[in-house]
Amino acid sequence: MSAISPAEAHNGGWIIIDVRSAGERAVACVPGSIHAPLETVDLDTSSFPPGRIALLCKAGTRARLAQARLSLCGIDAAVIEGGMDRWQREGLPVSSSTVSHWSLERQVRFGAGLLVVVFTLLAASVSPWFLVCSGLVGCGLVFAGATDICMMGNLLARMPWNRIRSGG
């Protein structure tokens, strides 16, 4: 079986493996699902309980990639069509552990883009030296991409809107 609907996954006794990032999962996740980010999904499949596996991501693309990886390991898994976006549109149960409704990755992209725009405007209206600040933001993004260490992401993760809710 290659694909199932969110309702089938919810009502059919499937083991749901969430292949999204930890930040995306903190914003909203399927209660009882197992977190296995795409980049690690085929490294330790022994942690998956026995049963029918359904893969979940935001819209379906990463779940299909995970399905191909698991297939190489001899594991048959279905993709939840439309991913978390469709799951939520259909009103199926979701839990959240943070106040923010934006993933950390989205917050970083917004913050970096805003800084570049502001520094570029300041360079055009105040002093060309503000272009150095735009360049530093670019260097930070290159560093984050090359090392998977994002200083802006680490800072944003400490903000009040990204803190774990105490009430669950």
Side-chain angles (χ1 to χ4, degrees):
M1 180 175 289
S2 63
I4 59 173
S5 72
E8 287 176 286
H10 176 63
N11 298 320
W14 290 84
I15 297 161
I16 299 174
I17 308 292
D18 188 338
V19 299
R20 298 174 303 147
S21 70
E24 290 173 293
R25 187 171 163 83
V27 172
C29 72
V30 173
S33 63
I34 297 169
H35 187 223
L38 175 61
E39 58 272 9
T40 65
V41 77
D42 57 349
L43 297 178
D44 183 19
T45 57
S46 64
S47 63
F48 297 172
R52 297 183 304 168
I53 294 175
L55 301 166
L56 178 75
C57 67
K58 181 179 182 337
T61 303
R62 284 176 284 177
R64 282 187 286 283
L65 291 170
Q67 182 183 45
R69 285 176 153 192
L70 289 175
S71 177
L72 294 173
C73 298
I75 296 174
D76 188 31
V79 170
I80 299 174
E81 281 298 323
M84 194 65 177
D85 290 344
R86 182 171 165 194
W87 185 283
Q88 289 178 299
R89 276 195 314 272
E90 292 184 8
L92 295 169
V94 172
S95 64
S96 176
S97 63
T98 63
V99 179
S100 175
H101 293 286
W102 280 23
S103 70
L104 198 55
E105 181 182 348
R106 183 177 178 193
Q107 292 175 50
V108 168
R109 288 192 309 250
F110 179 81
L114 184 64
L115 286 173
V116 168
V117 167
V118 166
F119 289 138
T120 302
L121 290 173
L122 286 171
S125 61
V126 177
S127 169
W129 285 101
F130 279 104
L131 286 177
V132 172
C133 298
S134 290
L136 290 174
V137 172
C139 288
L141 291 171
V142 170
F143 177 81
T147 64
D148 204 22
I149 299 169
C150 182
M151 293 176 276
M152 184 182 288
N154 290 337
L155 176 67
L156 287 169
R158 291 179 175 82
M159 294 293 116
W161 59 86
N162 287 322
R163 297 239 172 100
I164 300 298
R165 289 182 180 169
S166 58

